Amino acid sequence: MNKSLTYPDGGANHTPGSLIKARGREWVVLPESQPPLLIARPIGGTEEEIAGIHTELEEVSPSSFGTPTLDDLSDYRSGRLLREAVRLTSRNVAGPFRSFGRIAVEPRPYQLVPLLLALQQDPVRLLIADDVGIGKTVEALLIARELWDRGEIRSLSVLCPPHLAEQWQAELSEKFHLEAERVLSSTAARLERGLRVGETPVQRPPITVVSMDFIKSERRREECLRTAPELVIVDEAHPCAYGGVTRGSQHQRHPLVARLAEHPERPLILVTATPHSGHAEAFRSLLALLDPAFRAMPPDLSREAAEGWRRRLARHMIQRKRADIRGYLNEGTPFPERLEAEVNYNLSPEYGRLLDKVLAYARELVSDPTGDQRHQRGRWGAALALLRSVASSPAAAALALRNRAAVADAETEAEVDELGGRMVLDQEEYDQEFDLTPGGEVSAEAAEQRRLRELAREAEALAGAKDRKLQRAIELVKDLLAEGHHPIVFCRFIQTAEYVAGHLRQALGAGVAVEAVTGLLSPPEREREQAVERLGQQPVRVLVATDCLSEGINLQQYFSAVLHYDLSWNPTRHEQREGRVDRYGQPRRQVKTLTYFGANNPVDGIVLEVLLRKHKAIRSALGVSVPVPVDNDAVIQAVMQSMLLRDTRRAQMQSLFEPFDERGFEVEWRNAAEREKRSRTLFAQHTIRPEEVARQLFETRRAVGSGVELERFVQEALEVHGGQVHALGEGLYRFDLGGLPRALRDLLGRDSLTGRFSLPVQPGEVYLSRTHPLVETLSSFLLEGALDPLSQSKARRAGVIATDAVRDLSTLLLLRLRYHLTTTSTRKDRTRWQQLAEEVHAVAFRGFPDAPEWLDGAEVEALWQARPTENLSLPQAQEFADMVLPELGRLQGYLEEVAQKQARRFEEAHRSVRQAADLKLRYEVEPILPVDVVGVYVYVPR
């Protein structure tokens, strides 16, 4: 944390926030300075321009905003442009949230609710369980960035599945300007080079995204615990729950996160869309990571007797559906309408005969009584994996029939079950093997191998024209393209995805770009993202992907439809696939999803009836989506009992698995959904009053500006400099920059730009936030020009406007207020750190400086909106300006009172959203005097 410092005379008494002149520029001194080395940011400069200035080696002199003079006169637009330029160049904003001047996204009003909830805690312990597609990543990182900018943390880690690491790193960088290192098994060696003794890859970079597979080993896990950062965010947190389920990776995750949570001062944020799988014990274990008392929580929180528990949990959990936030605070959040359909195909006679032969072989496998339970369960898993591959595609079938089953070599029953869950049922969190085609061979006998090789040759002969599943899918893709959609075709196996992509390229021709993205592409090298981005630039495009893209990489910008070429055997996976396009930021009003199945394919029929249709019916009836509320074995039974046990000994099945009650299974699932619905009603955070959110939203926009004000500034700033702004409709603009002054054009480095000031954006468009390079460059160019007396900047520090909007001579003063924000920890170390805060503020008075009549806020804002109704000659303007400018010194006492009042207001706003930390942190805000008078604008009645 930055220590509080007031520099001695040896540092020329350059306190944080003071202005200096060095290297021919004006700079503001930052709190990170350690004299004689000053850390400073140029006035009007960006974070990237922050530099170190050594006072003993360079000429440094105090500086200040001089009083505007007659040489600064310009027209009525100058003041508005300068006000926005000063506000937009400030990163250390003095609103209730310290971080909002530094982020490249304007949060939706509903996204402030988790932030406000988190700031009411100390330490922050929060479960964000909003629905798929609402923006949980942004909500979690808003909290992280705010704690970072308040100086409360200086290190953070995101723990996530390996395939999500790229997405988290990109979100941290692109939206929150926090540069993170990815700590993966594939990057560990590089990161470990250069570490000092005792350091770890998790410790050295202050911000890391750590994959769960990296810390699976005991050594890595202990290193992570020993050098853990101050804040930990756990994504896809539901596998960290422990409810007696014996999956190996779950056993590894739960103790790790539980030990991280044991640190009483560590902030912890859990993120998942599915916190409650129907297992009350698992749910309690997840919540106990936030507060150990939740282990004793009753399973039904809807009862009157559980009100105390509801109140307690509501302080730590937020869980909302789209309906809860769609029109929050009367600001619409555009979510697309999902159009769903089931579409079927019929296997060709040849393919049907192949499936019958494979089914017969599978039945022989499962009826084999030899071996112990490990071998028997392995044969069940191999049989099911083989059937699934054959039902997927000829390419996957041929490979599965030639390869040995992984479960055949498993050494324990637990390993058999884990392999089956990952490779067959899609239940387990995947690693790099998740979309590989499983093998079906379990015996080393030559006769069995010959039999499987012959079946493999039959499968290969069915590729192409004889594969009706493929041919019907090509027709569906053509239909989606004709409707204007860009579809994603989801397949289960790598071989199927490549097979489908190849045939689609042939069928669709050169005018349609088709790309296959599978687990063969490397996550550490961002190969998957790069392939998607390249494809997204094509005007007509089709993405064929395995489930390596069903999580982590947001695809809504480029695609608008999903075709489930292979049915997932986990309904949650279906929801995740569709959530890639059906989410906030989707530019189309409608998205389309097609559940594709074989009408005469028994594998698809069972999965549809037992899993997918039940899941969809529950979601449609209750408005919530919940995972299958039973263990993997029950789903295995559901499929096998209906398909493999015909003509086999049912006793064999009974000896391996508990009896499966399909009716009871459905009842339990519906009960879990009812509990989930009640939970979302209880924890939609209506306890955070909308009026409070609205108040903080107003204060935030007052400090950093709104998207509407940003839009107006960019248009006006470009137009006054000779640029052209073309409104293309629905909030889309094309900016032609060729007519700008050479210096400004060189800074921008481009001649045109197409973009929007609000999300969503489509391919080829950019989102223009306050930290976008176009906005930063325009505001810095205007501010620096206004402060340069030799510049002919369009934003000038003085103006005289003749208008019928006033009855008496009125003067508006544009102020830049700066504060020292000092935070002191009351813990034993008494750590003290100081930060700089800035805000733009305006005051106005009627009459003359010797007897001013000060105006209220509404009257001040009205002056900003006043338009000239008459032109004044330069001598006339100078005459009126001369009545005011030389006398501004008379106002300094009042301006210092304004600064003191605003400082108290800032301190209260800063403290009010962080009241939970009052016992551990003390805040002091002092204005930096004298007040900077940035602009003076005189309004003459006409």
Side-chain angles (χ1 to χ4, degrees):
M1 293 181 177
N2 301 319
K3 300 295 188 293
S4 171
L5 288 172
T6 300
Y7 307 138
D9 292 341
N13 203 28
H14 301 309
T15 59
S18 64
L19 296 180
I20 60 172
K21 187 170 185 178
R23 304 177 187 175
R25 300 183 73 176
E26 308 283 338
W27 305 73
V28 60
V29 177
L30 299 179
E32 293 84 353
S33 300
Q34 296 282 354
L37 180 64
L38 304 181
I39 306 301
R41 186 185 70 241
I43 295 294
T46 65
E47 299 287 296
E48 288 72 25
E49 295 179 273
I50 291 175
I53 300 174
H54 201 293
T55 59
E56 296 177 357
L57 301 177
E58 302 182 61
E59 184 177 344
V60 180
S61 60
S63 184
S64 63
F65 281 95
T67 302
T69 68
L70 296 177
D71 294 332
D72 293 313
L73 289 178
S74 186
D75 63 19
Y76 80 100
R77 291 177 299 187
S78 291
R80 289 208 315 272
L81 284 172
L82 185 57
R83 177 175 71 163
E84 293 306 317
V86 176
R87 180 156 59 180
L88 290 168
T89 53
S90 175
R91 295 289 172 264
N92 303 294
V93 296
F97 305 114
R98 298 285 292 136
S99 59
F100 279 36
R102 302 174 184 271
I103 61 178
V105 61
E106 183 177 6
R108 308 296 299 174
Y110 70 84
Q111 291 177 320
L112 297 185
V113 177
L115 176 58
L116 288 169
L117 187 64
L119 293 177
Q120 292 177 3
Q121 306 169 9
D122 187 36
V124 174
R125 293 291 176 99
L126 188 64
L127 170 59
I128 302 177
D130 285 340
D131 214 348
V132 173
I134 282 180
K136 294 183 292 298
T137 301
V138 169
E139 292 171 344
L141 292 182
L142 276 175
I143 299 169
R145 180 79 223 208
E146 182 63 24
L147 294 177
W148 186 278
D149 287 330
R150 284 173 170 261
E152 295 186 32
I153 61 168
R154 279 294 170 263
S155 61
L156 74 93
S157 284
V158 177
L159 305 185
C160 65
H163 57 282
L164 301 185
E166 297 172 60
Q167 180 73 15
W168 276 97
Q169 184 187 42
E171 293 283 297
L172 279 160
S173 175
E174 295 167 9
K175 294 181 179 176
F176 294 90
H177 299 298
L178 293 172
E179 300 306 319
E181 282 280 5
R182 283 178 295 147
V183 183
L184 313 173
S185 299
S186 56
T187 64
R190 174 179 61 83
L191 294 173
E192 286 174 333
R193 289 196 291 269
L195 292 180
R196 293 188 288 267
V197 175
E199 285 187 330
T200 71
V202 176
Q203 175 189 20
R204 183 68 174 271
I207 306 173
T208 54
V209 179
V210 184
S211 78
M212 288 291 191
D213 71 340
F214 174 76
I215 47 180
K216 280 182 179 178
S217 71
E218 184 175 351
R219 179 176 73 87
R220 294 294 192 190
R221 188 164 60 249
E222 291 304 316
E223 285 180 351
C224 177
L225 290 166
R226 178 173 58 82
T227 61
E230 293 172 280
L231 168 65
V232 175
I233 299 172
V234 183
D235 190 24
E236 298 299 321
H238 48 281
C240 298
Y242 178 68
V245 182
T246 57
R247 295 187 196 126
S249 58
Q250 196 163 29
H251 268 308
Q252 293 166 340
R253 293 187 195 99
H254 178 76
L256 170 67
V257 179
R259 288 180 62 186
L260 287 170
E262 286 175 359
H263 193 298
E265 303 297 332
R266 175 172 289 124
L268 177 66
I269 302 172
L270 307 179
V271 180
T272 175
T274 54
H276 200 310
S277 63
H279 294 282
E281 184 181 349
F283 184 49
R284 285 194 294 267
S285 80
L286 186 67
L287 296 175
L289 298 173
L290 307 175
D291 182 346
F294 288 131
R295 292 193 184 97
M297 186 179 67
D300 187 357
L301 294 176
S302 62
R303 297 177 182 272
E304 185 176 348
E307 182 178 355
W309 285 106
R310 291 197 300 270
R311 291 179 182 274
R312 185 166 188 166
L313 182 53
R315 295 197 294 267
H316 295 278
M317 179 176 173
I318 183 164
Q319 186 177 35
R320 298 170 295 183
K321 306 188 297 290
R322 292 185 183 186
D324 296 320
I325 53 88
R326 194 183 296 272
Y328 190 75
L329 292 185
N330 297 317
E331 292 196 20
T333 298
F335 289 107
E337 177 188 5
R338 188 191 300 188
L339 303 179
E340 300 175 298
E342 289 185 359
V343 185
N344 64 54
Y345 64 92
N346 282 290
L347 293 171
S348 66
E350 298 91 338
Y351 215 123
R353 285 194 290 272
L354 172 67
L355 188 56
D356 286 343
K357 291 179 183 179
V358 174
L359 184 56
Y361 171 76
R363 285 176 172 153
E364 292 174 20
L365 277 182
V366 300
S367 61
D368 183 351
T370 61
D372 58 17
Q373 287 228 341
R374 171 175 61 86
H375 291 96
Q376 293 173 24
R377 291 173 79 99
R379 286 194 290 269
W380 284 96
L384 206 57
L386 185 54
L387 284 171
R388 189 166 191 192
S389 302
V390 172
S392 178
S393 71
L399 188 64
L401 288 161
R402 287 192 169 96
N403 283 357
R404 181 165 177 80
V407 291
D409 299 319
E411 297 181 355
T412 65
E413 286 187 48
E415 188 178 350
V416 169
D417 291 343
E418 185 171 350
L419 285 169
R422 183 175 70 240
M423 303 188 74
V424 180
L425 291 173
D426 311 340
Q427 291 292 323
E428 196 56 69
E429 191 173 275
Y430 293 143
D431 59 17
Q432 66 272 17
E433 299 176 339
F434 82 98
D435 54 1
L436 296 178
T437 302
E441 178 188 303
V442 294
S443 171
E445 294 182 4
E448 180 176 310
Q449 292 178 355
R450 285 195 300 272
R451 180 181 178 184
L452 294 180
R453 300 296 182 273
E454 179 59 35
L455 290 173
R457 287 190 288 271
E458 287 186 34
E460 290 171 333
L462 297 175
K466 294 181 180 179
D467 184 359
R468 292 184 182 174
K469 178 182 181 181
L470 171 69
Q471 298 305 320
R472 178 74 173 114
I474 291 173
E475 294 175 8
L476 294 173
V477 170
K478 288 180 178 179
D479 291 343
L480 290 170
L481 292 172
E483 295 170 7
H485 287 289
H486 303 295
I488 307 172
V489 181
F490 274 110
C491 306
R492 179 59 178 85
F493 303 116
I494 293 172
Q495 284 69 29
T496 301
E498 294 177 339
Y499 165 78
V500 170
H503 283 277
L504 280 173
R505 289 190 194 100
Q506 295 176 11
L508 300 177
V512 180
V514 180
E515 186 75 36
V517 176
T518 70
L520 294 178
L521 297 181
S522 169
E525 303 303 324
R526 298 188 72 250
E527 291 179 351
R528 298 172 191 175
E529 283 191 347
Q530 291 168 4
V532 169
E533 290 166 2
R534 285 195 304 270
L535 182 60
Q537 304 309 311
Q538 303 303 314
V540 185
R541 52 193 175 270
V542 178
L543 173 63
V544 184
T546 61
D547 284 314
C548 72
L549 292 188
S550 66
E551 290 182 282
I553 299 179
N554 293 334
L555 305 173
Q556 74 274 15
Q557 183 178 356
Y558 303 122
F559 302 96
S560 58
V562 167
L563 169 62
H564 299 283
Y565 189 85
D566 289 328
L567 301 181
S568 173
W569 287 13
N570 180 355
T572 301
R573 181 67 62 190
H574 261 234
E575 193 73 20
Q576 290 167 337
R577 290 174 175 180
E578 295 171 1
R580 295 306 92 208
V581 300
D582 183 11
R583 62 193 302 112
Y584 174 64
Q586 169 60 251
R588 288 182 65 102
R589 291 188 173 90
Q590 292 181 332
V591 296
K592 197 165 189 177
T593 65
L594 301 179
T595 299
Y596 189 48
F597 66 97
N600 58 345
N601 180 339
V603 180
D604 284 354
I606 296 303
V607 174
L608 266 177
E609 289 301 325
V610 175
L611 294 174
L612 299 181
R613 284 178 178 155
K614 286 183 174 63
H615 177 266
K616 187 174 293 186
I618 290 171
R619 192 190 68 201
S620 298
L622 301 179
V624 295
S625 177
V626 295
V628 177
V630 295
D631 293 339
N632 290 359
D633 286 355
V635 183
I636 290 175
Q637 292 181 80
V639 177
M640 289 190 173
Q641 182 171 293
S642 300
M643 184 170 52
L644 291 182
L645 291 186
R646 298 166 188 162
D647 306 322
T648 64
R649 290 181 297 148
R650 189 167 298 273
Q652 176 73 17
M653 167 78 171
Q654 301 281 339
S655 68
L656 294 178
F657 305 109
E658 295 298 322
F660 178 72
D661 176 5
E662 185 171 346
R663 181 176 178 81
F665 167 66
E666 183 172 358
V667 169
E668 186 173 353
W669 202 349
R670 286 190 174 275
N671 289 341
E674 289 284 2
R675 288 193 295 270
E676 182 77 358
K677 185 177 181 180
R678 288 196 298 271
S679 174
R680 290 177 188 249
T681 301
L682 293 170
F683 304 112
Q685 281 308 322
H686 302 302
T687 54
I688 302 289
R689 294 180 295 117
E691 310 90 77
E692 173 64 13
V693 179
R695 184 172 71 85
Q696 301 298 350
L697 182 64
F698 172 80
E699 292 293 332
T700 298
R701 289 175 174 172
R702 187 185 67 83
V704 303
S706 67
V708 173
E709 292 166 324
L710 177 63
E711 183 176 351
R712 184 171 59 233
F713 166 76
V714 170
Q715 291 184 62
E716 194 166 351
L718 287 175
E719 287 171 347
V720 300
H721 285 99
Q724 294 183 348
V725 179
H726 305 280
L728 305 180
E730 297 186 345
L732 180 65
Y733 293 93
R734 187 179 76 250
F735 304 104
D736 292 332
L737 311 177
L740 298 178
R742 177 66 179 271
L744 180 54
R745 197 167 66 249
D746 288 347
L747 288 171
L748 291 171
R750 59 197 312 166
D751 292 325
S752 65
L753 183 72
T754 301
R756 301 175 185 271
F757 295 92
S758 62
L759 295 171
V761 296
Q762 300 204 39
E765 303 170 0
V766 298
Y767 169 54
L768 294 166
S769 69
R770 74 190 312 271
T771 60
H772 187 274
L774 173 68
V775 179
E776 285 189 335
T777 302
L778 276 175
S779 53
S780 297
F781 185 81
L782 284 164
L783 178 57
E784 290 187 356
L787 297 176
D788 183 354
L790 302 179
S791 170
Q792 297 300 313
S793 174
K794 300 296 183 181
R796 306 292 286 176
R797 297 184 63 198
V800 179
I801 301 100
T803 177
D804 60 6
V806 298
R807 296 180 180 179
D808 304 291
L809 187 72
S810 301
T811 302
L812 187 150
L813 305 180
L814 178 63
L815 312 177
R816 190 185 74 159
L817 304 178
R818 292 174 292 140
Y819 312 102
H820 284 147
L821 168 62
T822 303
T823 304
T824 304
S825 170
T826 60
R827 300 182 180 96
K828 290 182 180 180
D829 58 4
R830 303 290 296 179
T831 306
R832 185 169 179 256
W833 64 97
Q834 193 174 79
Q835 297 172 295
L836 177 67
E838 305 169 316
E839 71 170 319
V840 177
H841 189 70
V843 295
F845 62 89
R846 291 190 189 95
F848 298 91
D850 59 345
E853 178 188 345
W854 294 100
L855 307 184
D856 63 28
E859 292 173 307
V860 172
E861 187 59 34
L863 285 182
W864 281 121
Q865 306 306 322
R867 296 290 189 271
T869 55
E870 182 180 319
N871 291 327
L872 296 176
S873 66
L874 182 58
Q876 287 176 311
Q878 290 176 333
E879 179 182 354
F880 285 111
D882 206 32
M883 297 177 185
V884 176
L885 294 180
E887 303 297 319
L888 288 179
R890 294 173 176 266
L891 306 176
Q892 194 60 41
Y894 176 80
L895 297 184
E896 291 186 3
E897 289 179 13
V898 170
Q900 294 286 355
K901 178 181 177 182
Q902 290 299 112
R904 291 192 295 272
R905 175 176 176 167
F906 168 44
E907 182 176 334
E908 175 56 30
H910 187 78
R911 179 182 289 114
S912 67
V913 297
R914 197 71 179 104
Q915 289 179 351
D918 273 358
L919 296 178
K920 298 179 181 178
L921 299 174
R922 293 284 184 266
Y923 304 111
E924 299 174 67
V925 176
E926 291 293 331
I928 298 172
L929 302 175
V931 172
D932 296 329
V933 180
V934 181
V936 181
Y937 305 95
V938 180
Y939 295 82
V940 179
R942 281 294 186 268

